[in-house]
Amino acid sequence: MINKKHIAFLAFLLFSFGNFSYAQENPEDIALVDNQTEDNFYEAMKQRGIENYDKAIVAIQKCIEKDPKNAAFQYELGKNYLSLKNYVDAESAFKKAVELDNKQRWYWNGLYDVYYQTKDYQKSIPIVEKLIEFDGNMREDLVSLYMNTNQHGKALELLKDMESKSKLTSTMEYYKLKIQESNAYTKPQKEQLEEAIKKNPKDEQNYIDLIVLYSSFNQEDKAFEVAKQLEKEIPNSDWAHVSLVKFHLNNNDGENASKSMFKVLDNDRMDLKIKHRVFNEFLIFAVKNLTYLKDIDKAIPYFDNDREINVAKEVAKFFWKKNDLENASKYFDKGIKKNSDDVEAMELYLEVLIQKQDFQLVSKKAEEYLESFPTQVGFYFYAGLGYNQLKEYKKAKNILENGLDFVVEFNPSESGIYNNRFNVNFYKQLIISCENLNDKVKKEVYTNKLKQLQK
């Protein structure tokens, strides 16, 4: 049978680590000095588990009275104060825990939680410096703290050290680029990099930093010169291809431009901004040289993890502006498959299909989308329009009337605010359906609605 002491210890393990983001070793068992302390500790764990933090504090304070030098008790006290957002007492308790035992990471983490929640970034810095001894990944937190306290020099120095040992994450790459874009670092860094390249022309990183620096200021000619120099000194460097893409495109050399583009896209260390720029340059070329669209198709999946830009959708818009309906519809379809929640892409796709006069596909796709988005009035409209064009008026009328529940009724007093053009077209489609079905009663109802909207 499990006794109360075992339950208390299990509770300690359960609730001690619930609030931390990092894996930690199990703490040593707490030496409970007597049965009363054991009961109080168990009560504290129980009350914390049901979020009665005030009662948990009372119980753990009784434990501290019996054993004031027990760091784990102080830590538990701090956690309960932190849950109550009593930051002053939480800080005091965590500090005592650290003073009693500075070798336990979770005690330092408690202090970091206090300072982070109160946005006291200056106090957070020495704590995170200590936490790095337990986990090197905490260096990313330190970079963020340096950025929040405008210590860009220290942030850049740390970023360079991190980059020399492993690939930077996208967030760290963003911070590095942001620092490099600031006027305070542009000129001296440019000069330092140029001097470093002269001293050691085989060190790829200096070229990379200079290319990124020039690219961030849209100084592509200068970035290209650095890339050419890099290609000469280190022919196998992927970074040389950042600017070589444009060079090959200017020479109408699509084959080599494509090879250079994929060198860039394949490189995980390159910033997403650079990859987008290279891709866009090649896209402009491919639109004029359609044999290279196969390379665009191969390139799009490289951006599948981009949470901000649906590349296939943007390519579709690009072709639509060029009035290339075939490719516009193709890439809108790809974009929707990439992001099945993109209602805007679906509606744009349907508009393109209407321009193509592919009304069979308009109705089919609109009804497919309605299965996932039954409250989107636009999909009822497109399905109805498609069926009207196919002379399937009964289907058109049924689906349009189903959509009426989601049509916003027009209020003339709000005419300056509400754009009723969509509703006008909705009722026009209903009138077409009713007229062809000889439903004079419904036609009159919808005609009056339309007149009201057109006032």
Side-chain angles (χ1 to χ4, degrees):
M1 179 179 290
I2 299 176
N3 62 32
K4 190 178 291 184
K5 180 176 179 180
H6 290 141
I7 294 172
F9 177 57
L10 290 172
F12 174 80
L13 290 179
L14 177 63
F15 296 115
S16 288
F17 304 108
N19 294 330
F20 295 108
S21 304
Y22 307 98
Q24 303 173 34
E25 297 177 2
N26 288 339
E28 296 178 0
D29 198 349
I30 297 174
L32 300 175
V33 296
D34 55 32
N35 289 336
Q36 186 62 46
T37 303
E38 180 182 323
D39 291 341
N40 287 326
F41 180 73
Y42 170 65
E43 180 66 16
M45 295 299 99
K46 184 182 75 172
Q47 294 300 333
R48 176 165 178 76
I50 57 176
E51 300 183 358
N52 286 334
Y53 304 118
D54 287 324
K55 291 182 179 180
I57 287 169
V58 171
I60 203 69
Q61 282 176 332
K62 290 178 181 177
C63 294
I64 292 172
E65 288 174 9
K66 288 285 187 180
D67 189 1
K69 293 188 177 181
N70 191 314
F73 290 161
Q74 295 289 347
Y75 167 65
E76 285 299 318
L77 181 63
K79 279 175 38 179
N80 284 291
Y81 278 133
L82 185 62
S83 296
L84 291 171
K85 301 189 185 303
N86 183 342
Y87 298 116
V88 173
D89 287 333
E91 179 186 15
S92 176
F94 287 134
K95 277 185 173 180
K96 286 177 184 175
V98 167
E99 288 168 7
L100 291 166
D101 185 357
N102 63 7
K103 293 180 180 179
Q104 306 297 353
R105 172 183 172 175
W106 45 92
Y107 302 163
W108 292 98
N109 258 326
L111 270 176
Y112 184 30
D113 286 342
V114 172
Y115 298 143
Y116 191 82
Q117 288 186 31
T118 56
K119 294 183 169 56
D120 194 336
Y121 302 126
Q122 287 289 1
K123 281 187 176 181
S124 295
I125 288 172
I127 305 302
V128 173
E129 287 173 342
K130 181 66 180 179
L131 284 168
I132 288 171
E133 296 176 15
F134 298 100
D135 180 6
N137 291 325
M138 291 295 292
R139 290 187 301 171
E140 290 205 2
D141 285 57
L142 188 55
V143 171
S144 298
L145 291 169
Y146 283 146
M147 295 298 290
N148 279 316
T149 53
N150 292 315
Q151 298 182 66
H152 292 171
K154 288 184 178 181
L156 186 59
E157 185 179 343
L158 182 54
L159 283 166
K160 285 185 174 180
D161 180 63
M162 291 164 63
E163 191 170 37
S164 69
K165 295 170 183 173
S166 63
K167 187 184 79 172
L168 294 179
T169 63
S170 58
T171 302
M172 295 299 104
E173 286 281 8
Y174 169 76
Y175 281 147
K176 181 184 170 189
L177 194 61
K178 189 174 180 181
I179 295 168
Q180 290 171 335
E181 286 177 347
S182 67
N183 291 332
Y185 286 91
T186 302
K187 187 174 179 181
Q189 189 182 13
K190 170 183 167 292
E191 293 171 351
Q192 289 167 11
L193 290 170
E194 288 173 341
E195 187 61 31
I197 288 170
K198 287 179 184 177
K199 288 181 179 179
N200 188 358
K202 299 299 182 183
D203 186 343
E204 182 189 41
Q205 190 59 50
N206 293 319
Y207 294 98
I208 293 170
D209 289 343
L210 195 53
I211 289 170
V212 171
L213 188 64
Y214 281 134
S215 297
S216 67
F217 285 97
N218 297 316
Q219 295 177 316
E220 293 180 355
D221 291 340
K222 291 183 178 180
F224 171 63
E225 290 301 320
V226 178
K228 283 199 298 184
Q229 188 180 352
L230 172 57
E231 185 187 33
K232 180 181 176 182
E233 297 291 346
I234 312 173
N236 295 326
S237 171
D238 289 347
W239 280 83
H241 294 278
V242 171
S243 293
L244 287 176
V245 171
K246 191 161 190 176
F247 172 76
H248 294 311
L249 291 176
N250 288 340
N251 289 333
N252 208 34
D253 185 352
E255 289 298 323
N256 281 316
S258 174
K259 289 176 183 177
S260 289
M261 175 180 70
F262 284 108
K263 285 281 188 182
V264 173
L265 297 179
D266 273 322
N267 192 319
D268 292 336
R269 293 179 62 197
M270 288 201 191
D271 188 89
L272 204 54
K273 276 175 60 179
I274 293 174
K275 292 184 179 184
H276 275 297
R277 182 177 298 171
V278 167
F279 175 81
N280 290 340
E281 288 171 353
F282 191 85
L283 174 62
I284 293 167
F285 174 81
V287 169
K288 298 175 184 175
N289 302 271
L290 296 178
T291 55
Y292 291 100
L293 283 182
K294 64 182 186 301
D295 297 306
I296 293 297
D297 290 340
K298 283 169 58 181
I300 287 174
Y302 282 90
F303 299 95
D304 280 350
N305 293 326
D306 188 342
R307 296 180 180 179
E308 295 183 8
I309 300 174
N310 185 336
V311 172
K313 174 183 170 183
E314 296 306 315
V315 171
K317 289 181 180 178
F318 187 84
F319 277 112
W320 196 12
K321 287 178 183 176
K322 299 288 184 182
N323 203 33
D324 185 340
L325 301 180
E326 201 62 46
N327 280 308
S329 61
K330 168 186 169 181
Y331 288 106
F332 273 129
D333 191 38
K334 283 180 179 287
I336 293 163
K337 286 173 181 173
K338 192 257 182 183
N339 182 359
S340 58
D341 293 330
D342 193 336
V343 172
E344 183 197 37
M346 295 172 189
E347 292 187 340
L348 294 176
Y349 179 35
L350 293 170
E351 287 287 348
V352 171
L353 292 177
I354 289 170
Q355 284 185 252
K356 288 181 66 182
Q357 297 190 339
D358 190 346
F359 298 111
Q360 192 78 45
L361 194 54
V362 169
S363 294
K364 178 185 174 184
K365 288 293 181 182
E367 288 196 281
E368 280 180 15
Y369 301 152
L370 277 171
E371 291 178 11
S372 300
F373 303 97
T375 62
Q376 285 291 332
V377 66
F379 296 145
Y380 294 95
F381 166 75
Y382 288 115
L385 182 151
Y387 282 129
N388 272 338
Q389 290 293 327
L390 295 168
K391 302 187 186 306
E392 296 186 45
Y393 301 112
K394 187 173 182 180
K395 282 186 177 180
K397 179 172 177 288
N398 286 341
I399 202 161
L400 287 165
E401 288 184 331
N402 286 339
L404 279 176
D405 289 339
F406 308 105
V407 172
V408 179
E409 290 294 332
F410 178 60
N411 184 348
S413 67
E414 297 176 352
S415 58
I417 303 170
Y418 179 69
N419 186 337
N420 69 324
R421 283 179 297 174
F422 186 84
N423 286 5
V424 165
N425 290 326
F426 199 96
Y427 283 113
K428 281 182 178 179
Q429 292 301 318
L430 273 167
I431 291 166
I432 291 170
S433 302
C434 293
E435 187 172 19
N436 283 279
L437 292 169
N438 201 29
D439 188 340
K440 295 179 182 179
V441 175
K442 286 287 184 71
K443 179 186 174 184
E444 184 178 355
V445 170
Y446 298 136
T447 299
N448 289 334
K449 289 276 189 181
L450 180 61
K451 287 177 182 177
Q452 184 183 356
L453 288 171
Q454 290 177 325
K455 284 181 182 179

